Amino acid sequence: MSTVRVRFAPSPTGDLHVGGARTALFNWLYARHHGGSFVLRIEDTDAARSTEAATQVIIDSLNYLGLDWDEGPGKGGDYGPYYQSQRLDLYREYANKLMEKGRAYECYCSPEELDERRQEQIKLGQGTRYDGRCLHLTDEDKEKYRAEGRIPVLRFKALDEGETLVEDLVRGNVKFDNVTQVDDFVIFKSDGMPTYNFAVVVDDALMKITHVIRGEDHLSNTPKQIQIYQALGFAVPKFAHIPMILGPDKSLLSKRHGATSVTQFYDEGYLAEAMVNYLSLLGWGYDDSQTIFSTSELIEKFSLERVSKNPAVFDLQKLEWMNGVYIREQSLEELYAVALPFWQKAGFLPEEPNTEERDYALRILKELQSRLKLMAEVVELAEYFFKDDYEYKSEIVEKIMTKPHTEAVLDFVYDAVQAASKLDEETLKPQFKVGLETFGIKMGDLIQPIRVALTGTNVSPGIYDVLELLGKERVLERITRTKTMLKERELI
Ligand code: GLU
């Protein structure tokens, strides 16, 4: 059996959508499972819509997800991706071959004329297809049209009888009627650029792609592509059309449903492993029970046989949950690598943190690890660990710092901390208990105001962990700062 070669062939016209990322992932998993090659090809022949920025987004997104490609036109280790815009001569060459074989012809019909005829077909209740008008133009006809300033497109001469069979590894055998479903479609536009349906065949054939794995929205293009393979004498690859991704309301997943681009998920702090795991389940499953798969497990278990025909529903809550699962499985060093850019961007840590700053950050992550769902939350949840001018949440100050004994409790804790040799639970708890008796309050009534004083809010890791992390000096300063604030607000 020939070695598996698959490709991901995005058009760089915008963000990489999760659907595209899922297609890339299935191809990548298939290649890795079979020890084959994964090719990245940027389909940038639509000059008006393709941008370099979008290409970069695709590359960044694949890098983030860890979907590495295996080859490209570059040299040494610095290869790829392939760009269709750099391969225009090839498409021209194969278009000429089709012309020589009588399987392609120039068409001079203007867009307006085509539209008029299409309207007419609709009116007559016929299918809309090119009527073959330019199929038999003489040289004089062409001359005349050119003199009128018309620039031709090139059309493929499709088969006008029979059926084209798509043997799809996911959808089974799908038949297309050549008369009504495949017309003489354009393969080269008047701007001299090849169309998708043509360039994709030339590339997939020349790149020796064995399996074309892509979204089901391309199924209807497949008979057109198969006819071109056959006309050029190329071997037809295997096809696998993978199901569409829907939003919770069962309509096609789109921006309306919230975050859909890989960049957005990256920005919100989804771990690559969680994204890969979640995306793998959009249309594929191993059995009914297992949902958590490491990437290496996915490589081992992935197969096209287990890809479903039914659309997949994108469930953001499940993805969030899964991200939390992965966050909890990470080592602190791994989490630090993901948290660092967020903290740097927020100005909490410098470009190159020193050992002390790094250790402090690791200790903070140890406390936050169990509560994080998205890594982006590390900014809000850790702000008071890094900034001494943290804000006090007004409604929480109102609720907690207006209780009786607040000032006395703050003073009491100030003294206890000052006198303590260490700020851990073992040292401080017995001291705090003494205070409880003095004021006739419960532990919570002592801890709550201290928490607000040290963090500005009422949710934080355990109070002794916060005390230890901040250290004596900062704890004392913060209690003083809090008292000043309460006096300014005339609450004490
Ligand atoms: N450029 C096409 C797209 O982005 C590729 C489709 C295919 O995989 O053939 O939809």
Side-chain angles (χ1 to χ4, degrees):
M1 214 196 113
S2 63
T3 333
V4 162
R5 288 178 57 80
V6 293
R7 78 328 186 255
F8 177 50
S11 306
T13 53
D15 281 336
L16 183 61
H17 184 269
V18 285
R22 191 270 317 250
T23 299
L25 175 64
F26 280 21
N27 277 284
W28 183 83
L29 287 173
Y30 196 71
R32 294 293 170 264
H33 178 88
H34 290 281
S37 296
F38 174 64
V39 170
L40 174 61
R41 184 175 73 228
I42 305 293
E43 302 212 320
D44 57 349
T45 53
D46 186 344
R49 293 179 62 225
S50 302
T51 67
E52 268 178 44
T55 300
Q56 196 54 48
V57 166
I58 292 167
I59 291 175
D60 291 346
S61 301
L62 294 178
N63 284 339
Y64 153 51
L65 297 172
L67 307 183
D68 54 339
W69 55 95
D70 298 313
E71 58 179 57
K75 292 207 171 60
D78 182 24
Y79 49 67
Y82 292 105
Y83 290 89
Q84 285 194 324
S85 59
Q86 294 172 3
R87 301 166 56 83
L88 299 176
D89 290 349
L90 287 170
Y91 311 127
R92 191 39 84 184
E93 183 187 328
Y94 283 90
N96 288 341
K97 288 193 185 184
L98 285 179
M99 299 257 277
E100 283 159 23
K101 289 171 190 263
R103 292 300 302 273
Y105 59 94
E106 287 182 345
C107 165
Y108 289 82
C109 299
S110 71
E112 296 75 31
E113 288 163 349
L114 291 171
D115 193 50
E116 217 170 277
R117 279 181 251 154
R118 204 173 298 127
Q119 297 308 330
E120 191 62 24
Q121 288 171 337
I122 292 172
K123 228 163 63 197
L124 296 172
Q126 300 169 344
T128 54
R129 57 200 322 274
Y130 182 65
D131 59 7
R133 191 165 299 215
C134 290
L135 179 56
H136 300 295
L137 294 184
T138 62
D139 286 348
E140 289 85 67
D141 296 331
K142 292 182 189 171
E143 200 59 48
K144 193 178 113 252
Y145 280 138
R146 274 194 220 111
E148 287 174 16
R150 294 183 186 237
I151 303 168
V153 299
L154 212 55
R155 286 186 185 273
F156 177 64
K157 175 70 204 84
L159 300 176
D160 43 23
E161 56 178 22
E163 287 173 338
T164 300
L165 175 67
V166 180
E167 293 172 278
D168 194 273
L169 294 173
V170 174
R171 312 213 53 90
N173 285 354
V174 188
K175 285 182 191 154
F176 290 85
D177 177 50
N178 290 339
V179 178
T180 56
Q181 292 180 291
V182 186
D183 72 349
D184 289 358
F185 55 96
V186 175
I187 58 173
F188 255 87
K189 295 177 282 182
S190 55
D191 66 0
M193 287 300 221
T195 57
Y196 156 68
N197 273 318
F198 182 61
V200 76
V201 171
V202 173
D203 281 338
D204 285 340
L206 297 185
M207 293 179 181
K208 303 207 169 348
I209 299 303
T210 56
H211 296 73
V212 170
I213 305 170
R214 61 186 172 197
E216 200 194 311
D217 48 335
H218 284 293
L219 183 62
S220 59
N221 286 320
T222 310
K224 297 182 185 177
Q225 296 174 13
I226 289 179
Q227 289 199 19
I228 295 181
Y229 281 102
Q230 290 167 341
L232 285 170
F234 288 139
V236 181
K238 295 205 160 30
F239 291 97
H241 286 92
I242 59 183
M244 302 313 286
I245 303 177
L246 310 181
D249 61 356
K250 307 284 154 67
S251 69
L252 272 188
L253 184 69
S254 74
K255 290 198 177 108
R256 283 184 306 116
H257 296 108
T260 51
S261 80
V262 175
T263 313
Q264 281 170 297
F265 291 106
Y266 173 80
D267 288 345
E268 288 173 19
Y270 284 88
L271 300 181
E273 296 88 333
M275 282 306 287
V276 163
N277 188 161
Y278 185 70
L279 291 175
S280 77
L281 300 176
L282 293 174
W284 173 85
Y286 187 64
D287 56 27
D288 287 344
S289 56
Q290 189 174 356
T291 40
I292 300 292
F293 296 88
S294 68
T295 305
S296 52
E297 212 177 351
L298 287 174
I299 292 174
E300 187 198 316
K301 297 195 161 148
F302 186 80
S303 69
L304 290 173
E305 285 83 63
R306 289 189 188 274
V307 172
S308 163
K309 278 191 209 165
N310 302 325
V313 177
F314 190 81
D315 179 349
L316 189 61
Q317 271 163 7
K318 187 164 169 189
L319 170 58
E320 246 181 49
W321 163 81
M322 199 173 271
N323 201 47
V325 171
Y326 276 88
I327 286 177
R328 278 174 270 302
E329 278 182 5
Q330 299 272 301
S331 71
L332 292 179
E333 275 74 18
E334 286 168 324
L335 276 191
Y336 175 70
V338 187
L340 184 60
F342 287 102
W343 282 341
Q344 284 169 328
K345 204 162 155 223
F348 297 173
L349 284 175
E351 201 54 46
E352 299 208 358
N354 60 32
T355 321
E356 203 182 317
E357 287 162 331
R358 185 174 175 281
D359 289 348
Y360 182 58
L362 286 172
R363 287 171 65 200
I364 294 171
L365 284 170
K366 182 164 175 267
E367 299 310 329
L368 297 184
Q369 186 168 24
S370 62
R371 331 165 147 253
L372 290 168
K373 270 206 267 174
L374 310 179
M375 286 306 287
E377 293 165 354
V378 290
V379 173
E380 205 193 324
L381 292 180
E383 185 168 16
Y384 56 83
F385 282 123
F386 291 105
K387 286 176 67 182
D388 291 323
D389 59 349
Y390 54 94
E391 272 180 37
Y392 296 95
K393 291 218 171 98
S394 295
E395 67 286 1
I396 287 161
V397 169
E398 285 292 332
K399 195 171 142 212
I400 290 169
M401 305 305 251
T402 50
K403 292 195 177 149
H405 308 301
T406 298
E407 188 177 9
V409 165
L410 291 179
D411 288 340
F412 172 81
V413 172
Y414 188 99
D415 291 340
V417 167
Q418 197 168 38
S421 55
K422 278 177 90 183
L423 300 193
D424 58 0
E425 183 165 357
E426 208 185 320
T427 316
L428 283 175
K429 202 169 180 180
Q431 299 301 316
F432 287 174
K433 279 194 175 149
V434 176
L436 304 186
E437 278 166 39
T438 316
F439 303 116
I441 55 175
K442 295 201 193 75
M443 197 49 128
D445 300 326
L446 182 136
I447 284 173
Q448 274 190 331
I450 291 303
R451 176 172 279 132
V452 177
L454 300 182
T455 69
T457 176
N458 63 342
V459 222
S460 80
I463 195 67
Y464 301 103
D465 296 319
V466 174
L467 282 158
E468 266 198 290
L469 263 164
L470 290 172
K472 189 180 280 191
E473 200 178 318
R474 281 203 286 170
V475 168
L476 297 180
E477 274 167 17
R478 286 181 182 208
I479 295 178
T480 307
R481 177 177 183 254
T482 303
K483 280 184 65 181
T484 310
M485 176 275 296
L486 291 172
K487 280 188 187 131
E488 275 167 9
R489 297 189 191 181
E490 295 178 358
L491 294 174
I492 55 172

